[in-house]
Amino acid sequence: VTAAAAAARFEGEAGSIVELLSPAGLACRRLLLVGTGPADKLDALAAERIGGAIAARLQTSGETHVNVDVAGALAGDLAAHLAHGAVLRSWRFDPYRTRLKDKQKPTLASLAIIGGDGAAAHARLAAIADGVARTRALVSEPANILFPESFVERARDLAALGIELTILDEAEMARLGMGALLGVAQGSVRKPRILAMRWNGTGRDDVKPVVFVGKGVTFDTGGISLKPPAGMEDMKWDMGGAGAVTGAMHALAARKAKAHVVGVVGLVENMPDGNAQRPGDVVTTMNGQTVEVINTDAEGRLVLCDAIWWAQETFDPEIVVDLATLTGAIIISLGHEHAGMFANDDGLAEQLRSAGAAVGEKLWRMPIGEAYDKLIDSDIADIKNVGPREGGSITAAQFIARFLKPGVKWAHLDIAGTVWASKAGAVHDKGATGYGVRLLDRLVADNFEA
Ligand code: BES
Ligand code: MN
Ligand code: ZN
């Protein structure tokens, strides 16, 4: 093994691997020597990277089982984090591949940790991984399969975890006056929905909830302000915020978090048809403010404003965090490394930043303020749905900010750059990343659990 390591110029970096096939004198078919990196940098994230690297290497190798000997290398919960990384990295979306060759099919089915503890941590992390898997599946589904009504149907099994579901249909939303959300939906034959998922693990009914709100545009053509064809297929994941909120609720309930949390998702499809809203239309939102729809492709904020207002009226939260694939501009600003964070409260912003850093779902805070807010004043209505091209992510956040009740602490996470990956990462394959689930779970664990 030492000679093989030298021959491979192995330096032990975290997740680096030397693979020996049919090692002489051993009964196994394969022996992997896996680097852990320097001991002082070996934290939960590094352990997850290592597990991810092992899973990626072996997933379609023909092996069905791997024993990972961590004795003397990974202390405490780190072994559980290695397993967590392996589970996260192994997730694939294959339901529509009917002609996979045997060699392309995953074989690795189990991983055993030898010489480590962390079984308790594992149960908790397994719940989180299930939430991530739920999100990734929702994000990966094409829009002919996943639309507002089918999204809701797929969430019904959350009730078995103890989550209370509330569903609003079009008639109910019309009665409530959600003209902005309904304006987006009116160009599609798919009927809109709002879905609320409530988990109260506090054992008390006097604890104000933390509310998460997700943008759930199951497909975004742009509407009459039609998007160009190139890359439009990506807009099946314009429900990534709703997916993250749903997966986070799954994780929290599955691990029985001692917190009161509500997830609300606004589900619509943005299509151009004879009944679609037009640029220049004025709609009235649930809280009475009027909006001039300058660009029908700036639809996410129109969905969020009514969903957030309804969530505040219904659940009286102290804290609202919304997640949305809201702007292409945030990808120009931050690329795919950080999601953009906008917040009206420094404490909440720091809680989110720190939770994101801990789980490897990073956030970078962006500015908001009065000078930006002025840019979305309309000549004919109270607000217009787009500002100038410059600062497009910021004016989008300002739009949402106009729908907060006084005293509510709020953060808006623009996750357009982090929901989908064109390349595999440490703990995800290419495709849906599941971004947001671990972040929200950690935010709750660190700050809102009894
Ligand atoms: N869903 C898009 C934002 C988006 C773009 C997400 C690319 C992921 C990748 C959003 O609804 C949108 O179209 N935003 C417009 C806003 C503009 C019209 C002010 C945009 O970013 O171009
Ligand atoms: Mn759009
Ligand atoms: Zn959109």
Side-chain angles (χ1 to χ4, degrees):
V1 171
T2 310
R9 309 180 84 178
F10 177 72
E11 286 174 348
E13 307 99 316
S16 63
I17 294 176
V18 180
E19 187 174 354
L20 284 76
L21 296 170
S22 317
L26 288 177
C28 61
R29 294 199 300 181
R30 249 175 247 259
L31 180 67
L32 269 55
L33 186 63
V34 183
T36 59
D40 61 332
K41 295 223 171 79
L42 189 45
D43 55 9
L45 284 183
E48 287 167 13
R49 252 196 316 280
I50 294 165
I54 296 170
R57 178 64 71 103
L58 294 178
Q59 187 171 37
T60 58
S61 65
E63 305 298 345
T64 56
H65 177 77
V66 56
N67 294 314
V68 183
D69 182 354
V70 302
L74 299 190
D77 288 349
L78 290 181
H81 283 281
L82 182 148
H84 187 47
V87 170
L88 289 172
R89 181 63 184 81
S90 302
W91 187 88
R92 312 180 14 138
F93 189 71
D94 286 339
Y96 305 116
R97 300 179 200 263
T98 68
R99 298 290 188 275
L100 270 185
K101 301 196 174 65
D102 273 345
K103 276 182 87 166
Q104 302 172 310
K105 288 183 186 159
T107 53
L108 189 65
S110 63
L111 176 150
I113 303 276
I114 312 225
D117 46 25
H122 175 67
R124 175 191 184 88
L125 292 169
I128 295 168
D130 287 347
V132 172
R134 179 184 285 266
T135 298
R136 288 176 178 173
L138 289 168
V139 167
S140 301
E141 286 289 3
N144 60 328
I145 304 296
L146 195 79
F147 44 89
E149 285 173 276
S150 62
F151 189 115
V152 168
E153 288 319 307
R154 279 188 184 225
R156 286 204 191 270
D157 64 328
L158 289 171
L161 295 174
I163 291 176
E164 179 189 298
L165 301 175
T166 306
I167 296 144
L168 304 186
D169 66 10
E170 205 180 13
E172 183 67 10
M173 289 189 266
R175 205 185 57 75
L176 289 163
M178 296 187 179
L181 185 153
L182 291 172
V184 176
Q186 78 188 29
S188 172
V189 296
R190 304 295 194 191
K191 296 298 170 206
R193 291 287 183 270
I194 277 185
L195 166 67
M197 299 158 274
R198 190 169 80 94
W199 166 256
N200 189 354
T202 62
R204 296 167 46 179
D205 46 23
D206 59 344
V207 183
K208 283 194 173 193
V210 176
V211 166
F212 299 139
V213 181
K215 169 180 172 180
V217 176
T218 57
F219 196 81
D220 180 13
T221 64
I224 295 300
S225 312
L226 193 62
K227 287 182 181 298
M232 201 201 276
E233 68 280 7
D234 280 350
M235 288 300 107
K236 74 172 184 181
W237 49 262
D238 206 19
M239 36 55 68
V245 167
T246 306
M249 294 311 300
H250 179 131
L252 290 165
R255 69 170 183 78
K256 301 203 175 346
K258 293 187 176 53
H260 188 190
V261 186
V262 181
V264 173
V265 298
L267 301 163
V268 302
E269 185 179 58
N270 188 22
M271 296 286 273
D273 87 347
N275 195 47
Q277 69 180 343
R278 294 145 291 256
D281 282 5
V282 174
V283 296
T284 303
T285 63
M286 183 179 168
N287 87 346
Q289 294 184 86
T290 55
V291 180
E292 181 187 12
V293 180
I294 299 285
N295 187 322
T296 65
D297 196 12
E299 84 297 341
R301 62 202 77 179
L302 298 171
V303 174
L304 285 172
C305 69
D306 279 335
I308 288 176
W309 190 260
W310 178 77
Q312 292 173 103
E313 293 268 277
T314 309
F315 300 106
D316 190 25
E318 215 154 347
I319 288 168
V320 172
V321 179
D322 77 77
L323 289 86
T325 50
L326 206 61
T327 66
I330 203 68
I331 312 178
I332 304 302
S333 302
L334 299 176
H336 304 284
E337 284 305 311
H338 292 81
M341 167 169 58
F342 303 80
N344 65 4
D345 182 84
D346 293 343
L348 176 61
E350 176 49 28
Q351 288 170 339
L352 278 159
R353 190 208 58 76
S354 152
V359 300
E361 296 186 343
K362 289 177 288 182
L363 291 169
W364 194 264
R365 190 163 179 192
M366 304 281 287
I368 48 174
E370 252 173 65
Y372 293 112
D373 178 69
K374 278 208 291 245
L375 300 174
I376 52 169
D377 285 337
S378 161
D379 291 336
I380 182 177
D382 300 329
I383 326 176
K384 54 185 178 181
N385 78 329
V386 295
R389 218 170 80 85
E390 304 90 330
S393 305
I394 307 173
T395 45
Q398 296 294 161
F399 184 98
I400 301 169
R402 291 203 188 188
F403 294 86
L404 295 167
K405 294 196 168 187
V408 172
K409 295 176 185 172
W410 159 76
H412 155 61
L413 311 183
D414 193 334
I415 61 173
T418 54
V419 160
W420 193 263
S422 56
K423 287 192 302 238
V427 294
H428 59 78
D429 203 345
K430 67 179 176 197
T433 61
Y435 184 96
V437 174
R438 294 189 296 152
L439 167 70
L440 296 180
D441 174 77
R442 185 64 176 248
L443 175 77
V444 170
D446 286 353
N447 303 288
F448 305 111
E449 286 199 60

